[in-house]
PDB file of all heavy atoms in Angstrom:
ATOM      1  N   GLY P  59       3.099   6.175 -16.273  1.00  0.00           N
ATOM      2  CA  GLY P  59       2.430   4.851 -16.425  1.00  0.00           C
ATOM      3  C   GLY P  59       3.277   3.698 -16.758  1.00  0.00           C
ATOM      4  O   GLY P  59       2.819   2.632 -16.976  1.00  0.00           O
ATOM      5  N   ALA P  60       4.651   3.907 -16.720  1.00  0.00           N
ATOM      6  CA  ALA P  60       5.662   2.902 -16.970  1.00  0.00           C
ATOM      7  C   ALA P  60       5.434   2.311 -18.386  1.00  0.00           C
ATOM      8  O   ALA P  60       5.741   0.994 -18.579  1.00  0.00           O
ATOM      9  CB  ALA P  60       5.566   1.755 -15.931  1.00  0.00           C
ATOM     10  N   ASP P  62       6.839   3.819 -20.888  1.00  0.00           N
ATOM     11  CA  ASP P  62       8.113   4.288 -21.609  1.00  0.00           C
ATOM     12  C   ASP P  62       9.184   4.523 -20.552  1.00  0.00           C
ATOM     13  O   ASP P  62       8.796   4.625 -19.395  1.00  0.00           O
ATOM     14  CB  ASP P  62       7.723   5.551 -22.468  1.00  0.00           C
ATOM     15  CG  ASP P  62       8.711   5.737 -23.559  1.00  0.00           C
ATOM     16  OD1 ASP P  62       9.823   5.042 -23.717  1.00  0.00           O
ATOM     17  OD2 ASP P  62       8.505   6.686 -24.425  1.00  0.00           O
ATOM     18  N   GLU P  63      10.365   4.774 -21.016  1.00  0.00           N
ATOM     19  CA  GLU P  63      11.432   5.073 -20.034  1.00  0.00           C
ATOM     20  C   GLU P  63      12.086   6.335 -20.441  1.00  0.00           C
ATOM     21  O   GLU P  63      12.205   6.685 -21.602  1.00  0.00           O
ATOM     22  CB  GLU P  63      12.442   3.880 -20.080  1.00  0.00           C
ATOM     23  CG  GLU P  63      11.945   2.523 -19.843  1.00  0.00           C
ATOM     24  CD  GLU P  63      12.954   1.415 -20.009  1.00  0.00           C
ATOM     25  OE1 GLU P  63      14.170   1.674 -19.763  1.00  0.00           O
ATOM     26  OE2 GLU P  63      12.624   0.296 -20.303  1.00  0.00           O
ATOM     27  N   ASP P  75      11.108   3.224  -7.721  1.00  0.00           N
ATOM     28  CA  ASP P  75      11.929   3.724  -8.738  1.00  0.00           C
ATOM     29  C   ASP P  75      11.911   2.964 -10.025  1.00  0.00           C
ATOM     30  O   ASP P  75      12.427   1.766 -10.071  1.00  0.00           O
ATOM     31  CB  ASP P  75      13.382   3.868  -8.290  1.00  0.00           C
ATOM     32  CG  ASP P  75      14.403   4.552  -9.201  1.00  0.00           C
ATOM     33  OD1 ASP P  75      13.950   4.772 -10.426  1.00  0.00           O
ATOM     34  OD2 ASP P  75      15.358   4.972  -8.801  1.00  0.00           O
ATOM     35  N   LEU P  76      11.161   3.384 -11.046  1.00  0.00           N
ATOM     36  CA  LEU P  76      10.904   2.700 -12.229  1.00  0.00           C
ATOM     37  C   LEU P  76      12.233   2.264 -12.999  1.00  0.00           C
ATOM     38  O   LEU P  76      12.235   1.166 -13.568  1.00  0.00           O
ATOM     39  CB  LEU P  76      10.018   3.421 -13.266  1.00  0.00           C
ATOM     40  CG  LEU P  76       8.583   3.883 -12.688  1.00  0.00           C
ATOM     41  CD1 LEU P  76       7.756   4.360 -13.876  1.00  0.00           C
ATOM     42  CD2 LEU P  76       7.898   2.601 -12.015  1.00  0.00           C
ATOM     43  N   GLY P  77      13.143   3.078 -12.891  1.00  0.00           N
ATOM     44  CA  GLY P  77      14.505   2.846 -13.527  1.00  0.00           C
ATOM     45  C   GLY P  77      15.289   1.707 -12.986  1.00  0.00           C
ATOM     46  O   GLY P  77      16.064   1.087 -13.680  1.00  0.00           O
ATOM     47  N   SER P  78      14.934   1.334 -11.723  1.00  0.00           N
ATOM     48  CA  SER P  78      15.633   0.194 -11.071  1.00  0.00           C
ATOM     49  C   SER P  78      14.837  -1.101 -11.144  1.00  0.00           C
ATOM     50  O   SER P  78      15.365  -2.097 -10.695  1.00  0.00           O
ATOM     51  CB  SER P  78      15.840   0.541  -9.566  1.00  0.00           C
ATOM     52  OG  SER P  78      14.705   0.647  -8.873  1.00  0.00           O
ATOM     53  N   MET P  79      13.779  -1.049 -11.853  1.00  0.00           N
ATOM     54  CA  MET P  79      12.859  -2.285 -11.876  1.00  0.00           C
ATOM     55  C   MET P  79      13.106  -3.021 -13.188  1.00  0.00           C
ATOM     56  O   MET P  79      13.363  -2.447 -14.212  1.00  0.00           O
ATOM     57  CB  MET P  79      11.447  -1.897 -11.738  1.00  0.00           C
ATOM     58  CG  MET P  79      11.090  -1.072 -10.494  1.00  0.00           C
ATOM     59  SD  MET P  79       9.290  -0.495 -10.472  1.00  0.00           S
ATOM     60  CE  MET P  79       8.382  -2.092 -10.143  1.00  0.00           C
ATOM     61  N   ARG P  80      13.029  -4.318 -13.067  1.00  0.00           N
ATOM     62  CA  ARG P  80      13.013  -5.195 -14.319  1.00  0.00           C
ATOM     63  C   ARG P  80      11.726  -4.990 -15.091  1.00  0.00           C
ATOM     64  O   ARG P  80      10.695  -4.611 -14.470  1.00  0.00           O
ATOM     65  CB  ARG P  80      13.207  -6.503 -13.985  1.00  0.00           C
ATOM     66  CG  ARG P  80      14.614  -6.841 -13.446  1.00  0.00           C
ATOM     67  CD  ARG P  80      14.915  -8.409 -13.305  1.00  0.00           C
ATOM     68  NE  ARG P  80      14.012  -9.022 -12.301  1.00  0.00           N
ATOM     69  CZ  ARG P  80      14.233  -9.151 -11.061  1.00  0.00           C
ATOM     70  NH1 ARG P  80      15.316  -8.621 -10.481  1.00  0.00           N
ATOM     71  NH2 ARG P  80      13.345  -9.702 -10.288  1.00  0.00           N
ATOM     72  N   ARG P  81      11.702  -5.327 -16.372  1.00  0.00           N
ATOM     73  CA  ARG P  81      10.524  -5.244 -17.188  1.00  0.00           C
ATOM     74  C   ARG P  81       9.182  -5.941 -16.568  1.00  0.00           C
ATOM     75  O   ARG P  81       8.183  -5.325 -16.545  1.00  0.00           O
ATOM     76  CB  ARG P  81      10.796  -5.749 -18.614  1.00  0.00           C
ATOM     77  CG  ARG P  81       9.625  -5.574 -19.511  1.00  0.00           C
ATOM     78  CD  ARG P  81       9.987  -6.045 -20.939  1.00  0.00           C
ATOM     79  NE  ARG P  81      10.996  -5.036 -21.513  1.00  0.00           N
ATOM     80  CZ  ARG P  81      11.422  -5.096 -22.716  1.00  0.00           C
ATOM     81  NH1 ARG P  81      10.869  -6.093 -23.568  1.00  0.00           N
ATOM     82  NH2 ARG P  81      12.227  -4.246 -23.148  1.00  0.00           N
ATOM     83  N   ALA P  82       9.437  -7.127 -16.061  1.00  0.00           N
ATOM     84  CA  ALA P  82       8.310  -7.879 -15.503  1.00  0.00           C
ATOM     85  C   ALA P  82       7.810  -7.117 -14.217  1.00  0.00           C
ATOM     86  O   ALA P  82       6.562  -7.082 -13.932  1.00  0.00           O
ATOM     87  CB  ALA P  82       8.808  -9.211 -15.089  1.00  0.00           C
ATOM     88  N   GLU P  83       8.702  -6.550 -13.449  1.00  0.00           N
ATOM     89  CA  GLU P  83       8.354  -5.815 -12.276  1.00  0.00           C
ATOM     90  C   GLU P  83       7.462  -4.518 -12.584  1.00  0.00           C
ATOM     91  O   GLU P  83       6.444  -4.245 -12.075  1.00  0.00           O
ATOM     92  CB  GLU P  83       9.539  -5.384 -11.465  1.00  0.00           C
ATOM     93  CG  GLU P  83      10.220  -6.524 -10.799  1.00  0.00           C
ATOM     94  CD  GLU P  83      11.509  -6.102 -10.134  1.00  0.00           C
ATOM     95  OE1 GLU P  83      12.268  -5.254 -10.612  1.00  0.00           O
ATOM     96  OE2 GLU P  83      11.842  -6.732  -9.064  1.00  0.00           O
ATOM     97  N   ARG P  84       7.966  -3.800 -13.709  1.00  0.00           N
ATOM     98  CA  ARG P  84       7.187  -2.643 -14.210  1.00  0.00           C
ATOM     99  C   ARG P  84       5.839  -3.094 -14.689  1.00  0.00           C
ATOM    100  O   ARG P  84       4.825  -2.443 -14.469  1.00  0.00           O
ATOM    101  CB  ARG P  84       7.961  -1.944 -15.305  1.00  0.00           C
ATOM    102  CG  ARG P  84       9.222  -1.231 -14.728  1.00  0.00           C
ATOM    103  CD  ARG P  84       9.599  -0.126 -15.764  1.00  0.00           C
ATOM    104  NE  ARG P  84      10.006  -0.751 -16.942  1.00  0.00           N
ATOM    105  CZ  ARG P  84      11.253  -1.103 -17.207  1.00  0.00           C
ATOM    106  NH1 ARG P  84      12.219  -0.973 -16.297  1.00  0.00           N
ATOM    107  NH2 ARG P  84      11.665  -1.624 -18.423  1.00  0.00           N
ATOM    108  N   SER P  85       5.747  -4.299 -15.346  1.00  0.00           N
ATOM    109  CA  SER P  85       4.472  -4.783 -15.878  1.00  0.00           C
ATOM    110  C   SER P  85       3.472  -5.047 -14.699  1.00  0.00           C
ATOM    111  O   SER P  85       2.279  -4.714 -14.708  1.00  0.00           O
ATOM    112  CB  SER P  85       4.547  -6.059 -16.642  1.00  0.00           C
ATOM    113  OG  SER P  85       5.283  -5.833 -17.824  1.00  0.00           O
ATOM    114  N   ARG P  86       3.970  -5.624 -13.631  1.00  0.00           N
ATOM    115  CA  ARG P  86       3.159  -5.858 -12.463  1.00  0.00           C
ATOM    116  C   ARG P  86       2.697  -4.583 -11.810  1.00  0.00           C
ATOM    117  O   ARG P  86       1.552  -4.467 -11.320  1.00  0.00           O
ATOM    118  CB  ARG P  86       3.898  -6.777 -11.389  1.00  0.00           C
ATOM    119  CG  ARG P  86       3.963  -8.250 -11.775  1.00  0.00           C
ATOM    120  CD  ARG P  86       4.328  -9.051 -10.650  1.00  0.00           C
ATOM    121  NE  ARG P  86       5.639  -8.801 -10.183  1.00  0.00           N
ATOM    122  CZ  ARG P  86       6.797  -9.415 -10.715  1.00  0.00           C
ATOM    123  NH1 ARG P  86       6.674 -10.247 -11.646  1.00  0.00           N
ATOM    124  NH2 ARG P  86       7.914  -9.060 -10.165  1.00  0.00           N
ATOM    125  N   LEU P  87       3.651  -3.626 -11.734  1.00  0.00           N
ATOM    126  CA  LEU P  87       3.209  -2.266 -11.210  1.00  0.00           C
ATOM    127  C   LEU P  87       2.091  -1.663 -12.035  1.00  0.00           C
ATOM    128  O   LEU P  87       1.158  -1.047 -11.429  1.00  0.00           O
ATOM    129  CB  LEU P  87       4.512  -1.352 -11.128  1.00  0.00           C
ATOM    130  CG  LEU P  87       4.238   0.006 -10.524  1.00  0.00           C
ATOM    131  CD1 LEU P  87       4.088  -0.095  -9.059  1.00  0.00           C
ATOM    132  CD2 LEU P  87       5.343   1.030 -10.817  1.00  0.00           C
ATOM    133  N   ARG P  88       2.196  -1.741 -13.305  1.00  0.00           N
ATOM    134  CA  ARG P  88       1.181  -1.189 -14.245  1.00  0.00           C
ATOM    135  C   ARG P  88      -0.115  -1.828 -13.868  1.00  0.00           C
ATOM    136  O   ARG P  88      -1.184  -1.236 -13.775  1.00  0.00           O
ATOM    137  CB  ARG P  88       1.518  -1.393 -15.682  1.00  0.00           C
ATOM    138  CG  ARG P  88       2.318  -0.282 -16.280  1.00  0.00           C
ATOM    139  CD  ARG P  88       2.324  -0.298 -17.833  1.00  0.00           C
ATOM    140  NE  ARG P  88       2.627  -1.641 -18.318  1.00  0.00           N
ATOM    141  CZ  ARG P  88       3.844  -2.077 -18.570  1.00  0.00           C
ATOM    142  NH1 ARG P  88       4.947  -1.271 -18.320  1.00  0.00           N
ATOM    143  NH2 ARG P  88       4.134  -3.186 -19.103  1.00  0.00           N
ATOM    144  N   ARG P  89      -0.088  -3.217 -13.785  1.00  0.00           N
ATOM    145  CA  ARG P  89      -1.373  -3.991 -13.623  1.00  0.00           C
ATOM    146  C   ARG P  89      -1.960  -3.640 -12.203  1.00  0.00           C
ATOM    147  O   ARG P  89      -3.183  -3.447 -12.089  1.00  0.00           O
ATOM    148  CB  ARG P  89      -0.976  -5.408 -13.615  1.00  0.00           C
ATOM    149  CG  ARG P  89      -2.138  -6.359 -13.462  1.00  0.00           C
ATOM    150  CD  ARG P  89      -1.728  -7.835 -13.222  1.00  0.00           C
ATOM    151  NE  ARG P  89      -1.125  -7.914 -11.966  1.00  0.00           N
ATOM    152  CZ  ARG P  89      -0.539  -9.083 -11.465  1.00  0.00           C
ATOM    153  NH1 ARG P  89      -0.355 -10.080 -12.332  1.00  0.00           N
ATOM    154  NH2 ARG P  89       0.053  -9.068 -10.265  1.00  0.00           N
ATOM    155  N   ILE P  92      -1.494   1.162 -11.216  1.00  0.00           N
ATOM    156  CA  ILE P  92      -1.802   2.251 -12.178  1.00  0.00           C
ATOM    157  C   ILE P  92      -3.009   1.910 -12.994  1.00  0.00           C
ATOM    158  O   ILE P  92      -3.080   0.878 -13.655  1.00  0.00           O
ATOM    159  CB  ILE P  92      -0.562   2.433 -13.175  1.00  0.00           C
ATOM    160  CG1 ILE P  92       0.624   2.708 -12.286  1.00  0.00           C
ATOM    161  CG2 ILE P  92      -0.869   3.707 -14.005  1.00  0.00           C
ATOM    162  CD1 ILE P  92       1.964   2.741 -13.133  1.00  0.00           C
TER     163      ILE P  92
END
Side-chain angles (χ1 to χ4, degrees):
D62 203 353
E63 300 176 30
D75 183 345
L76 301 190
S78 68
M79 301 174 77
R80 295 189 295 273
R81 180 172 295 183
E83 292 173 325
R84 287 198 299 271
S85 293
R86 282 195 297 273
L87 182 74
R88 274 198 306 272
R89 181 193 71 188
I92 304 170

